[in-house]
Structures are given as C-alpha cells and as structure tokens.
Amino acid sequence: MRRSTTIPLVSRQEQVASLLLAVGRASAGRPGLTLVGGDAGVGKTRLISHVAQAAEQAGANVVVVHCVDLGQVGIPYLPFTDALTQLQAGAAGPEAATRVADLVKERPALWRLLEPGVSGDADHDERLQLFEGIARSLAVAGAPERPLVLVVEDAHWADASTRDVLRFLAARARSENVLLVVTYRADDVDRRHPLRPLLAELSRLEHVERMDLRPFDEAELREFTTALAGRPLPPAGFAEVLDRSEGNAFFAEELLDAGPDSASLPWTLTEVLRTRLERLDPEVQQVLRIASVAGRRVREDLLRAAAARSGSPDIDAALREAVTQQVLVVSGTHLEFRHALLAEALYADLLPGERSSVHRAYLAVIEQEGPDGMPIGSAAERAHHAFEGHDLPAALSASRDAALRARRLLAPEEELRHWEQVLALWESVPDAERRIGRDRVDVALSAGEAAARAGDPMRAVKLTRRAVEGVTDPVRRAGLEHVLVHRYLDLPTWDETPGQVEQAIADLRSALAKLPPRSPDRIWTNALSARLAMILDRDEDAREYVECAVEEARATGQAGALAVALSTLAVLNVDAPDRASEILDEARTASVEAGDVLTEMRTLYSGTANRFYAGELEAAEQRVRHALARADELGLAWSAPTVNLRILQEVMLYFRGDLTERGGPGVPATARYVMEAVRMYATVARGDDDAIARGEALIDHWATDGQIALIGGGSLVDALTWAGRYDDAAALAERITAHLGEVWSEVFLGRIWLSALAIAALADAAEAERSAGRAGAPGSAAATAVETRAAERLDRGDSLLAVARETAQRGRPRGGVLGPEGLAWLQRAAAENARLHAVTGSVADGGSSSAVLWADAASAWQETVNLFGFGYRYEVARSRYRWAEALLGAGEREAAEVEAAEALTEAQEMGARPLAEAVRGLARRARLDLPGVRRATASTLTEREEEVLGLVAQGLSNRQIGERLFISTKTVSVHVSNLLAKLGASGRAEAVSLAHQRGLLEV
C-alpha cells in the first residue's frame, strides 16, 4: 500500500488556494497570519507540506519550526530560536542569512535567545527589543517576490512566551514580506487551554485567517483510500474504514495498513498503531520506543547516544528500516515521527521502568558538555528528563537552572513553573539547599516575584506568604513583611478593606522596631507604611514615613524603594499637579533603574491619572498611549495598574465622543467585568438594545470590585432613565450609593455622579407625568396623588443635591480641590434639581413663577455646559439639550433653537441615538426649525394643529398642551377652535373620533 506522502493531495483544494493566495499577498508586501486547526490526524501537516512545496516552487522560502511538549514546563521562545537558527544557516538563502546575521549582531537581546551561555539578569527593556528583534529578523528574511513563510507546528504545546511573540507579530504586521502559518490540534484546545484566548484575539484581526480542517466526507475518503490502495476498496471494506475512521485521514491510512481483511481490523486507533508497529523487527521497535521518549522530534545524534546507553549500540539498520517504513522521516538534523500519534502510542506502551530508564539515558546525554562548554540540552529539557526519570536531585538542579534561564529571557510564566517545580521537589531531596545554593524561603520569594510579573497576583501572595510564614528568625521575618505587603497591594481590591490594611500597617510598625537603621528592608518598610497610611487617609503619618524612606533611599542608592516612596509622595502632593508630575517622573526613573516593572507601571498610571483628573485630557491621552505601549513592552498587558490605565483610556475615548463599540479580545478573567463595566458608558450613550441587560448582568460582580458597581451600576441608572423606568433608576442609584458607602466610605466622590443621575430620573418622571396630563380635576383624588408625588420628588431631589454638595465638601480628594469633572457633575446635579423644580412648578400653577423657575434652570444648565467644556463632549451635548429645553420654558425660543441645533449635530456625529431622538422630540413639540425634524402634513390640518390634536386625544387640558408645546394657553385655544372647525366637530371628543375615522390619528 502506498503512503499518503507519495500520493497527490486529496481534497483541501479550497484551503490550498487560500494559503497560496496568502503567500501571494505576502510576496506583495501584505503580511498575514493563518491559523490552521483540526483534530489529530485530520491532515494538517500533509496540507502544509503540500502548500510549502507549491510556495517554494513559486519563489517563497519556507521555514518549518515546532513547539514541543515538555509537560507543565517549556522552553521559552523555542520555535523562534529554531527559526532564527535556520535563517542564519541559510534556510531563506545566503543573502537573507547575511541580513539576519547582521541584525543579530546589532540586537543584544537576540544574543540571549541564540546563545545559551549568555548570563546575567536582563533589563526588562529588552523584552521589547527581543520581540522587535524576532519580528525584524523575519522581516529581513523575506523580500518582494521571495516572501518568507514561517510555519509554527503544534501551537497547542506553545509556551507562554511563544504565545506572546505570536500576539506581538500579529499586532505589528505592517508591510513585511512574511506569512506566518500556525497549526494546532483543535481537539486539544479546550476552553481552559491557554491557547484558546489567543486564538480568539488573533481571529479578530483583519489580516488573520482562521482555517478549520474537517474530516473527509464520504466522497473524499473514497478518493483518498482509492489512491492509497491503488484501486477502489470493496464496499464492505470501505464501509468499515468509513465507520471506524470517521473521515480522519491518518486513522484511515493506518486501518488500511493494518490488514486487507475488514473483519480483522482493530477497533481503536491505539490498537491500529500497535498492530502496525508490531510488524516491524524487534530492534526497530526498540529504537522507536527510545525515540518516542524524546517526543515527536529528536536530534539524530541524541537518539543514537541514548540508544547506546539503553543497550542498542548499533541502530543504523533500525533507523533505516524506520525511515523506509515511513514511521520516521528525516527533517534536517532531526528525525521526526510521521505523526505525533505514533510517538504517543509508543510512549504509552512503555512500562514505567522502561520510561524512567530511557529518560535517564537522555538526561545523561544532554548533561554532557558541547563544544561551547555548555550542556548539550537546555535546562528545561534536563529538568523534564530528570523528573520523568525519577532522578529528583538532578530535576531539582535543572529546574533551578531553567528558572534562571527563563528570567534572563523575560519569560515569567515559565520561570514561575520552574520555581514551583523546585518547591515541589524540595522535601524529596535531602540536600536541596546545598544543591540550589539558597534556602526554601528564597526560592518561594523568587516564585512569588515571578508570579507577580506574570500577572497572577493571587498566586504571588500565596507563595510569598508561604515564604514569610516559614521564617523563624525575627529579624529576617521583619525584613520580609514589606515584601508580603507589596504582593497584597497588587490584588485589585485588597486595599478596599480597611481592616486588612490596618493589620498590615500594624505588622509593618512592628517590623520597624526590629530592623536596623538605613538597612534596605527598613527603607522598604517605611515606603510601604507610607502607602498604607495614605490609603487610610492618615496623610500626616504617610508624610512622616515617606520622607524618611526617600531620604534614606537616596542616601543608600536603593532605587526600588525610592520609586515606591516617591510614588506615594506624588499622591500626597496632588494639589500641585506640576510638582506631582515631577515627582512621578523621578519615581519612574528610579523604578527603571531598579528593574521594578510593576512600580514603573504604577508611576505611569499615577502620572496619567494626575493629568486626567486635572482636566488636561490631551496630556493624559498622550501619557496613556505611552504607558500602554510600555506595558506591552514589559509583558504586563493586564497587571493591576495596566487595567486601571485601560479603564482611563476607555473613559477618555468616551469623553471625546468616541462611542465605538470595542470588544475585549484577550481580556483575562480578572479584568473582564471591570472592562465590561467601563464600556457601559458608550453602550448606554449609543442606545444599544441590550444596554440594560448588560448592566444587570454586572450586578452579581459588584462585590468583586467597587469600580464595577460604580461605573457599571451608574451607567445602568442612565440606561433605565432613557428607557423611561424612572423609579427603578432612582432606586438603583440609591442602592449603589449604599453599597459603596459600606465598601469604600460614606463620602466617596462617585456619590456626586450618582446623585445627579438620580435627580435626572426624578425630573424625567415629573416631566412624563406632566406630559401625560395626569393632574386630574382640582381637589380630586387624582390631583391630590399627583401633588403628593410631586412633593416627594422635590424632597428627594433636594436631599440628593444636599448629598452631592456634602460629598464635594467632605469627600474632596487630597489637596482639597475638586477636579473639573467633579465640579461639572456637582453643577449638573444642581441643574437637574432646578429642572425638577421647574417641571413641578409648571404642573402646580403654570403662571409667571414657572417662567422664573425655567429661567433659573436655564442659567444652571448654561453653567453646566461651560464646566463640562474641559473635554467631556457627550455631557456637553446632553447638557446643551437640557439648556435648550429650559430656554423654551423661559420663553427664549431663538436661543433654544441654537442650543438644540448644536446638541442634535453633536449627538448625530457621535452616534448617540437616545440623545438625538430626545432633541428631535423637543424640536417637534416646540416647532423648532432643526434639520431633519420638520415634516410635511398630509391633511387639511396644519402641522401644529395635528400636534395639538394628538395631545387632545391624550386627554390633556389646554394649559397642559401649552406646557408640552411651550406655547401659551390662549394660543392652544385658538388651535383647538381651528381644528374643530376644520373637522366639523362640535367638541373635543367628537374631533378625536372624526380624526380616527379619517386616519389622522394613529390608533
């Protein structure tokens, strides 16, 4: 029987065409990335091999690299290290090799990747240099008409750093002559697999194509089996293969190879593979088992050496037979199983003792020194083989080496896994401390630091707490308290619980009593004490701690502690934004010098927030862009300070009137709901149909983060108000206020915003009642109920405004100055309350006092527009709409028309549908001449008479109609008389009836 590699490719023509088109685009300078997924054995490698041959014939250079399975640990950047090695060796031609070699010489960060012997901790700036170096190396290897096609196989085994590079390459693609093809096993990528969020993120990019390979259908499988067998299979035999293979190409091929008699075909793939392999000579089977221990691919020299140590000194004949039978294929200096399932079946068939023995054989080989004096294998490979070979002392040492190597390569997730392996092995190795050169406490601290840099603050806390609790020496334990507090502060909501902060500051005070003066630990403890005191609003204590920390840190050159202390000092100087900015710049410089990337990100966030809350939006926007770019460079895309930066970025986009719906690709679970909450601002402003549902879905997550309650809940209040659910909106605002009063403090500044939104709901409720004409006859029960509700609303509105003003006084930020946004919302609360009084007063008397109330409201709204003018485009437009409404109530029609026209234009440009509809509704009622609002009349009635008739049909009195349309009662009476005459009606009821009959009113 022929092998699939020797026959023409069956089916997949659509996928082949798509991939070759992508190659053509790359040739023309339009880079791309194709994700090829499918179940094991479905034919991914066969497809890619066929396309690679066709691409090479068309002039492309194809480089194939692999991810490897080393269990819970991996070798950082392995496929890209392999790719650069191949490119330097001429895989893309001699000219490309020279360009890549020259580039590597210019990029020290790449030396760490390509030279295992390079030592020393890396500056975290090098992460960007490393990623850019990889991207640039691939770019220079491609050329017009000769693009580089880089195939990364088996991405389901990719380590975290490799996934980061894939993300970087996809995001930075511009005009390179490069096509990246990534294959992965779809059946291995379940919802918890780390590759899954990356696939979702990449799939949203315009230049990324996702290709899912399906099993063969019946016709395709018939063509495939006919080509393999050289003739059509008998109906019964084909039916058996179809049933058992379910269209899987590899399974079908192995079933055919297992025997021609369909009745004897085995039922499982493992049995199929075992049957096939058992037909080989015992010597060949033994060599293949040894090869399987290395995984799908193994260097030929390593296999030979491991086989010799395992009792197979002469393997030439065995290897030739394995290649002839196409169990193994030659790939450069490597031998590779034709399919990973073959290696897996062989490995699974080994007895435990056999596995351990072969793993130890590989370990012995890769521990030998190469020509450069370094071990042949990587530390991660040594750790893997040592652990699986039950050589625990060697596994411990190799895991330590692998952790240090990962740290030098800026691969924190891999570093964390290796340190955790060291901790797991510690009790099993009696002389662990001697072998490692440090005690268990130090290892746990290193693991905690790696977890913090990997963006897993909870794991960092657990590891650091374990380290601190394991210390019995009081002075050393005192010196570690600040490290634990540092880790706690990385938790998103830890500092929102005063009891926890109180206990932490007490622990630090106790530590200070034990630490010697000017010692690094004492400086750090003072710096962290200052930060905790500031959280508890004990600014005098905070200044005392921070000044001591800054003085001693500068004197002793403790850059890390200086950065933390200065970050706190900047907040204490928030009343002087320029001075605070200078302090933060110094803090950032110190954090960069110390290599403390989390503190650096905190300084970048604080500097951005400093300008944002000062109302300097352009400066804040520049800073947030720079800070997020820096976060990407450092691999801290979703650390706690970076999440806060992303929140600020979303808020500023909303302020600018950018209501574009932005998805959340790649957002981790820890940040998902707060990002959904902040995007609620734009969701509500756009008027999305599911805005209320999305806001309600966030209620269950209020307890996890106060920002979710404030931002998501406040936006839901706004959505309920737009939907006409005024009582629900006001009640929700009060519920949020009570909740955050318990979680944060009674006078948190967000109360101003929530109070303004609640008063707006009350004013809208009063307006709706006025428009519906529910006043009833004077003295009636209905009239009494309306008056009672009006009085209750006024009391609630006055109380809410008092709450907002009290918050502004008692809850002011440090420095005592309420920022531009806070002042604007405080003024809007006053304007909404003035509107509430004007609407309620109109219902009460409709006389001259109503005009005075509306004039007061107009003045309040004018000031609101001015205060939001610092850059809050959406609220300027909404406040201008309310200003126009108040101007109409005060009788200033021309001025109202100007403001309404501006509000409508802004709302339409932003895509703020509810606001635009509200302005149009106001214009129709008041007969304002706005673009797209006036309409032609199709009856004998004028437009104004039709509007009056519609309100008459609702049962409104002439006075109420006048209030609704902003005209006098006398003018309404004239319109009513005219429409009665035109309709030939003797009264209002008859006019409504006749209008319905003639189709002049909607039923």
Side-chain angles (χ1 to χ4, degrees):
M1 188 194 80
R2 289 185 290 178
R3 285 289 169 190
S4 58
T5 53
T6 65
I7 64 172
L9 184 69
V10 172
S11 189
R12 313 297 191 201
Q13 297 309 310
E14 180 181 344
Q15 290 82 1
V16 170
S18 179
L19 284 165
L20 290 178
L21 281 174
V23 174
R25 289 193 295 269
S27 179
R30 294 159 57 195
L33 188 157
T34 301
L35 302 170
V36 181
D39 293 348
V42 80
K44 299 182 295 297
T45 300
R46 179 73 179 93
L47 169 67
I48 297 304
S49 298
H50 176 84
V51 171
Q53 292 175 4
E56 288 176 336
Q57 291 172 3
N61 295 307
V62 180
V63 173
V64 181
V65 294
H66 300 78
C67 302
V68 298
D69 181 15
L70 289 182
Q72 295 297 315
V73 295
I75 304 174
Y77 312 111
L78 175 63
F80 296 102
T81 301
D82 189 11
L84 294 184
T85 301
Q86 290 189 48
L87 290 173
Q88 283 189 298
E95 293 182 2
T98 300
R99 292 195 296 269
V100 172
D102 290 343
L103 181 68
V104 169
K105 292 177 183 178
E106 298 170 0
R107 305 275 178 143
L110 291 177
W111 301 350
R112 297 181 179 276
L113 203 62
L114 296 171
E115 301 294 336
V118 175
S119 62
D121 285 346
D123 185 329
H124 281 80
D125 283 339
E126 290 192 39
R127 186 176 177 91
L128 173 63
Q129 297 172 16
L130 176 60
F131 285 15
E132 286 188 336
I134 293 172
R136 188 61 187 153
S137 297
L138 300 181
V140 300
E145 309 303 326
R146 292 193 63 81
L148 172 67
V149 179
L150 177 63
V151 179
V152 180
E153 289 261 43
D154 301 323
H156 50 281
W157 289 328
D159 59 279
S161 297
T162 293
R163 294 194 298 271
D164 287 342
V165 175
L166 290 173
R167 181 182 291 108
F168 182 89
L169 294 175
R172 295 297 179 92
R174 294 294 181 268
S175 59
E176 301 84 1
N177 300 107
V178 176
L179 172 64
L180 191 60
V181 180
V182 178
T183 73
Y184 63 94
R185 280 192 197 171
D187 48 340
D188 277 2
V189 182
D190 58 27
R191 62 188 181 89
R192 294 185 178 89
H193 196 285
L195 184 65
R196 190 180 184 91
L198 175 61
L199 295 175
E201 180 179 348
L202 296 180
S203 297
R204 293 183 174 92
L205 298 177
E206 183 179 358
H207 58 281
V208 173
E209 180 181 4
R210 191 160 179 173
M211 188 177 293
D212 296 314
L213 296 188
R214 305 296 180 192
F216 288 147
D217 60 25
E218 183 174 347
E220 292 168 335
L221 185 63
R222 189 181 301 279
E223 181 184 356
F224 179 67
T225 56
T226 298
L228 288 176
R231 63 184 185 280
L233 295 181
F238 175 75
E240 193 81 11
V241 173
L242 174 64
D243 179 54
R244 295 183 183 180
S245 72
E246 297 181 341
N248 184 288
F250 179 69
F251 199 175
E253 184 175 354
E254 295 304 319
L255 283 167
L256 284 179
D257 191 59
D261 183 3
S262 63
S264 67
L265 289 176
W267 281 102
T268 68
L269 179 56
T270 301
E271 291 171 353
V272 169
L273 297 175
R274 184 178 292 116
T275 299
R276 164 161 159 63
L277 293 168
E278 284 177 351
R279 294 184 310 180
L280 300 172
D281 291 338
E283 294 81 3
V284 178
Q285 293 181 43
Q286 178 61 18
V287 170
L288 290 174
R289 291 190 191 99
I290 295 170
S292 73
V293 172
R296 184 179 183 181
R297 303 177 80 236
V298 59
R299 278 171 42 189
E300 184 180 349
D301 58 338
L302 294 185
L303 174 58
R304 288 178 177 277
R309 287 180 173 271
S310 300
S312 300
D314 184 11
I315 66 169
D316 287 344
L319 288 179
R320 278 195 296 269
E321 180 65 13
V323 171
T324 300
Q325 293 296 324
Q326 296 193 49
V327 178
L328 294 179
V329 294
V330 178
S331 176
T333 60
H334 288 71
L335 292 169
E336 182 178 309
F337 282 93
R338 189 170 59 83
H339 199 285
L341 291 175
L342 284 165
E344 292 168 17
L346 282 161
Y347 187 75
D349 208 32
L350 287 169
L351 295 173
E354 289 180 296
R355 290 184 190 177
S356 299
S357 176
V358 178
H359 275 296
R360 288 194 296 272
Y362 274 109
L363 175 63
V365 173
I366 63 177
E367 281 184 331
Q368 296 176 8
E369 291 186 359
D372 57 0
M374 300 296 295
I376 295 174
S378 69
E381 289 174 309
R382 285 186 279 122
H384 170 66
H385 286 299
F387 183 80
E388 295 296 337
H390 304 299
D391 186 345
L392 302 188
L396 182 85
S397 299
S399 295
R400 183 270 320 274
D401 293 344
L404 295 175
R405 172 69 174 161
R407 179 176 178 82
R408 289 193 293 272
L409 286 177
L410 305 173
E413 291 189 40
E414 290 84 353
E415 179 189 355
L416 171 60
R417 292 194 187 98
H418 288 299
W419 283 131
E420 289 184 320
Q421 182 80 293
V422 172
L423 291 171
L425 293 169
W426 197 273
E427 294 294 337
S428 302
V429 181
D431 59 344
E433 185 172 333
R434 182 188 63 79
R435 285 179 173 274
I436 297 300
R438 53 203 303 193
D439 65 11
R440 189 171 185 173
V441 171
D442 277 340
V443 172
L445 289 172
S446 294
E449 182 185 355
R453 286 188 281 107
D456 190 348
M458 182 58 72
R459 187 65 185 147
V461 165
K462 290 179 179 178
L463 287 163
T464 307
R465 188 166 55 207
R466 182 194 302 178
V468 174
E469 291 172 352
V471 175
T472 56
D473 178 67
V475 176
R476 188 183 183 192
R477 178 157 185 160
L480 293 178
E481 288 292 347
H482 70 85
V483 181
L484 183 57
V485 169
H486 215 151
R487 299 290 169 252
Y488 276 127
L489 284 167
D490 289 332
L491 296 176
T493 60
W494 180 80
D495 57 359
E496 294 177 5
T497 306
Q500 293 181 155
V501 180
E502 289 276 11
Q503 182 59 53
I505 201 168
D507 291 341
L508 291 181
R509 278 199 301 268
S510 176
L512 282 172
K514 301 181 181 70
L515 295 172
R518 290 184 176 265
S519 65
D521 287 332
R522 184 179 182 84
I523 297 170
W524 270 106
T525 302
N526 271 317
L528 270 298
S529 297
R531 188 171 169 189
L532 295 183
M534 184 181 66
I535 291 171
L536 295 172
D537 294 325
R538 300 174 187 169
D539 287 9
E540 290 186 9
D541 291 345
R543 283 190 181 276
E544 182 178 344
Y545 286 126
V546 80
E547 287 172 0
C548 181
V550 168
E551 177 189 353
E552 293 187 355
R554 283 175 173 158
T556 59
Q558 292 292 317
L562 178 61
V564 172
L566 289 172
S567 298
T568 301
L569 183 61
V571 178
L572 294 173
N573 284 275
V574 72
D575 55 326
D578 291 339
R579 172 58 182 152
S581 183
E582 292 175 2
I583 295 172
L584 286 169
D585 287 342
E586 183 184 357
R588 188 197 170 200
T589 300
S591 64
V592 171
E593 180 183 343
D596 185 348
V597 293
L598 289 174
T599 297
E600 181 185 353
M601 290 311 304
R602 279 192 286 268
T603 64
L604 289 171
Y605 166 71
S606 297
T608 303
N610 174 273
R611 294 303 176 186
F612 172 76
Y613 290 117
E616 301 174 21
L617 293 190
E618 288 188 7
E621 288 167 345
Q622 291 176 356
R623 283 178 175 262
V624 80
R625 285 193 295 270
H626 166 73
L628 290 176
R630 180 63 174 158
D632 287 339
E633 295 171 11
L634 298 173
L636 297 174
W638 292 102
S639 66
T642 310
V643 170
N644 288 329
L645 282 162
R646 293 186 187 280
I647 291 171
L648 273 185
Q649 184 183 50
E650 291 287 341
V651 170
M652 285 189 279
L653 289 169
Y654 168 66
F655 274 21
R656 292 299 196 193
D658 182 353
L659 306 184
T660 305
E661 183 170 11
R662 281 172 288 275
V667 178
T670 53
R672 173 184 170 188
Y673 296 109
V674 73
M675 294 306 299
E676 288 182 4
V678 76
R679 288 167 181 158
M680 278 289 293
Y681 282 128
T683 297
V684 175
R686 287 193 307 269
D688 290 1
D689 293 338
D690 63 345
I692 292 176
R694 289 164 70 173
E696 290 175 338
L698 291 171
I699 293 176
D700 290 341
H701 304 282
W702 285 7
T704 63
D705 190 338
Q707 290 190 97
I708 298 175
L710 176 62
I711 302 172
S715 297
L716 178 57
V717 171
D718 213 3
L720 291 169
T721 304
W722 280 121
R725 295 170 54 181
Y726 309 119
D727 292 339
D728 291 343
L732 179 63
E734 293 173 350
R735 176 184 169 188
I736 300 167
T737 299
H739 169 74
L740 292 177
E742 295 176 0
V743 173
W744 287 344
S745 74
E746 184 181 337
V747 289
F748 67 95
L749 289 174
R751 284 208 311 179
I752 299 174
W753 178 48
L754 293 171
S755 297
L757 294 177
I759 301 171
L762 296 174
D764 279 4
E767 173 66 29
E769 190 163 80
R770 182 186 73 164
S771 300
R774 297 173 184 166
S780 66
T784 301
V786 169
E787 291 171 1
T788 300
R789 285 195 294 272
E792 290 174 349
R793 288 194 189 101
L794 288 176
D795 286 344
R796 288 178 73 186
D798 290 344
S799 297
L800 287 165
L801 179 58
V803 164
R805 287 172 172 164
E806 177 195 19
T807 301
Q809 289 296 320
R810 293 177 54 204
R812 284 181 177 177
R814 287 181 175 80
V817 179
L818 199 62
E821 185 190 3
L823 291 171
W825 279 108
L826 182 62
Q827 178 58 32
R828 183 177 157 189
E832 292 287 9
N833 203 47
R835 178 167 73 97
L836 174 60
H837 278 266
V839 172
T840 306
S842 298
V843 173
D845 56 43
S848 59
S849 62
S850 174
V852 172
L853 290 172
W854 279 115
D856 291 343
S859 177
W861 282 110
Q862 181 179 11
E863 180 62 15
T864 306
V865 169
N866 292 337
L867 288 174
F868 277 122
F870 71 89
Y872 205 150
R873 184 183 180 190
Y874 177 77
E875 284 304 329
V876 167
R878 177 150 62 170
S879 299
R880 204 178 288 281
Y881 152 60
R882 291 301 185 189
W883 184 13
E885 181 184 49
L887 287 169
L888 284 168
E892 300 182 37
R893 290 183 53 81
E894 291 185 3
E897 191 170 271
V898 171
E899 301 307 327
E902 181 66 19
L904 180 59
T905 299
E906 286 288 277
Q908 289 174 330
E909 289 182 357
M910 287 185 287
R913 181 171 56 83
L915 178 56
E917 290 176 354
V919 178
R920 293 190 192 99
L922 175 67
R924 282 192 294 268
R925 294 193 305 274
R927 300 188 69 186
L928 299 179
D929 187 10
L930 299 185
V933 174
R934 293 185 64 84
R935 58 184 174 84
T937 179
S939 72
T940 57
L941 303 181
T942 66
E943 181 181 355
R944 178 59 86 185
E945 287 166 353
E946 284 189 341
E947 291 174 334
V948 171
L949 177 60
L951 296 174
V952 167
Q954 295 180 30
L956 272 65
S957 66
N958 285 359
R959 176 174 62 82
Q960 292 167 334
I961 293 172
E963 293 168 355
R964 186 82 166 106
L965 301 179
F966 301 99
I967 58 179
S968 68
T969 303
K970 182 177 180 180
T971 301
V972 174
S973 178
V974 171
H975 287 309
V976 171
S977 297
N978 289 340
L979 67 88
L980 290 175
K982 290 181 178 181
L983 293 172
S986 58
R988 296 162 71 97
E990 184 181 2
V992 172
S993 177
L994 289 170
H996 277 302
Q997 294 173 19
R998 299 176 187 180
L1000 301 179
L1001 284 174
E1002 295 182 1
V1003 179

